[in-house]
Structures are given as C-alpha cells and as structure tokens.
Amino acid sequence: MTIVDALSLDVLAGAVTVIVGANASGKSTLLRGLARLLKPQAGVVTLDGRDIAALPSKKVATVVGLLPQQPVAPEGITVADLVSRGRYPHQGWFRQWSSTDDAIVTEAMAATATLPLAARRLEELSGGQRQRVWIAMALAQQPDILLLDEPTTFLDVTHQIEVLDLLLELNRTRGTTVVMVLHDLNLAARYADHLVVMRAGAIIAAGTPAATLTVPVVLEAFGLAARVVADPVCGSPMVVPIGRFHGAATSAGSE
C-alpha cells in the first residue's frame, strides 16, 4: 500500500521544520522515511548528498536522532539508564564511556526536568514524565538532525511549551536541525521556520508559516472552516476554527 507518493522535500539545515496535516495524511510515514526506518519503493533519501540507506547504521545514529510516536523501552529500565542509551552510538572500540558522557546525560536530564527521576523506573512515571525522559535520551544523543513525531503527546499545555522552547533553544544555540510532527497548528506556526502541510500523502503547501498557513490551505488539508489572524504574542498565523455554532456564515474570511 502506497501512503506517501511522488513527494519531494528539502529539509533546511539549521532550521526548525514542522510537518502538519490531518490524521492519516502521511506525516509519520514521511518522518520514518527520513529516519531510514522505511525504505522508499522509488526515489532516495539523502543525507549530506549521500543515500542514507547506504550509510552504516552507527554513522547515521550519530547524525540523526529519532523520537518516534510510541517508543518502547525494556521492562524495568531506570530513567538514567534509558537516557544513557542516547550515548551508545558514540561508543566504539576506541571510544569508551567517559565522564564527558556522564556530563552530557546529566545535562540532558536537567534540561528536561527529569534529573529528580533518574533512579525511577520508566513504567512508574506518568505519560508526560515518560515523554520528557524520551526527549532527554534524544538530547543525550547530540545529533545534528533531530526528528520527533508528536513530541508534545501526553503533555499538558505548560509542558508542551517547555518542550517546544527546549527544542527551539537547542536549534538556536547548537544549530541542531529539528524536524517534528505537530497536531496543534498554532504551536506549529509559532515554532516553525519552515512549515510543511500534508494531505493524502502529498505536500500541498510548504514555506514560512505566514505564507503557508492560509484559509484555503487549512480548508483543503483539514476540511476546517476557520479564520487566520495574527497571534497577539508573536505575530505568527493563528488558526481560529469557526464550527457550526460560531459564525459559520463568515467561514471564508481571514485577516
């Protein structure tokens, strides 16, 4: 079954790219293809101009980090042990675990507010706590490119903002290229340098949030009648759904 068809995407180095679209539009499939978890039937995914499928797995793992939608951990593993696994791609015959690795793991847990949970087992944590631990593991990997499939899942609004601020800080201070799937259009518009809108396995719009998130695009991608106004906090596009009981007569309008 073909899910994503005839799709071409350039991920901008050093930018935050956010992929949005309705359920089953192909967002997660695209991300898995970029991470080399899925092999395209045709075409190629390239990393620095080279076919990613031809590169050694460990080499890819030191450059590309992935946080999938539903990650699985070994039973009984502690938070500290899980986050430490983010350093495994950097180990080898001539590069063994060091105090530098300890420092990086501690920094990743501190950045995600999971350091107090270090000795806890993962299954003892709430959904939001577990999500922050997985993000800490991805940070500990210190990849050049970080791919995240709905990283705000299970998080309340406060922790959603904290996680997205953390990813933006990582991008701005370390130059990490971030590609993530988000459901919240307004958060996507606020945090994205480059916004990609998908529908039925195809990209129907891509560019800056201001150029991309328009009334016609929202209607085509989501079947949603809405107004698009300026976010009063940062000026990014803000989608205001209309619904059947709140001014449906003005559904074509925008500001």
Side-chain angles (χ1 to χ4, degrees):
M1 178 180 177
T2 300
I3 299 175
V4 173
D5 188 29
L7 182 148
S8 179
L9 173 65
D10 290 326
V11 172
L12 304 180
V16 175
T17 296
V18 179
I19 305 169
V20 299
N23 290 339
S25 60
K27 305 183 299 297
S28 295
T29 299
L30 171 59
L31 204 68
R32 288 167 62 85
L34 295 177
R36 207 177 70 164
L37 296 181
L38 293 175
K39 184 177 181 180
Q41 294 179 337
V44 64
V45 176
T46 62
L47 177 64
D48 293 330
R50 300 175 62 187
D51 183 354
I52 195 171
L55 297 174
S57 297
K58 198 163 188 178
K59 169 65 176 176
V60 173
T62 62
V63 178
V64 180
L66 172 68
L67 178 62
Q69 194 173 117
Q70 294 181 317
V72 178
E75 185 177 353
I77 193 169
T78 66
V79 168
D81 286 342
L82 182 62
V83 177
S84 296
R85 294 192 175 205
R87 301 302 301 158
Y88 285 6
H90 299 274
Q91 310 303 309
W93 289 107
F94 303 103
R95 169 67 170 85
Q96 300 301 314
W97 192 271
S98 68
S99 59
T100 299
D101 295 302
D102 285 327
I104 291 171
V105 168
T106 299
E107 179 185 355
M109 288 192 290
T112 52
T114 57
L115 195 54
L117 307 173
R120 298 272 300 277
R121 293 190 302 178
L122 196 66
E123 60 262 30
E124 297 172 351
L125 307 182
S126 69
Q129 289 173 323
R130 286 196 298 269
Q131 189 73 347
R132 284 187 282 136
V133 171
W134 285 110
I135 292 172
M137 189 188 76
L139 295 184
Q141 190 175 333
Q142 291 191 316
D144 296 327
I145 303 170
L146 189 54
L147 309 176
L148 306 105
D149 195 353
E150 299 184 31
T152 56
T153 299
F154 305 123
L155 301 180
D156 59 38
V157 64
T158 300
H159 287 114
Q160 287 181 33
I161 298 298
E162 287 180 356
V163 164
L164 293 174
D165 279 349
L166 173 63
L167 294 172
L168 189 62
E169 181 182 13
L170 188 68
N171 167 260
R172 299 296 192 253
T173 59
R174 298 183 183 177
T176 304
T177 299
V178 177
V179 183
M180 56 182 162
V181 171
L182 290 178
H183 269 300
D184 190 309
L185 294 179
N186 296 329
L187 289 180
R190 178 178 286 194
Y191 284 90
D193 298 310
H194 187 70
L195 191 65
V196 177
V197 184
M198 295 189 66
R199 179 181 180 275
I203 294 174
I204 62 170
T208 65
T212 303
L213 206 57
T214 63
V215 167
V217 169
V218 172
L219 184 61
E220 181 182 358
F222 299 93
L224 178 67
R227 301 285 298 270
V228 178
V229 301
D231 185 320
V233 173
C234 59
S236 60
M238 185 170 71
V239 177
V240 183
I242 294 172
R244 292 191 296 128
F245 301 103
H246 299 93
T250 62
S251 61
S254 67
E255 295 179 9

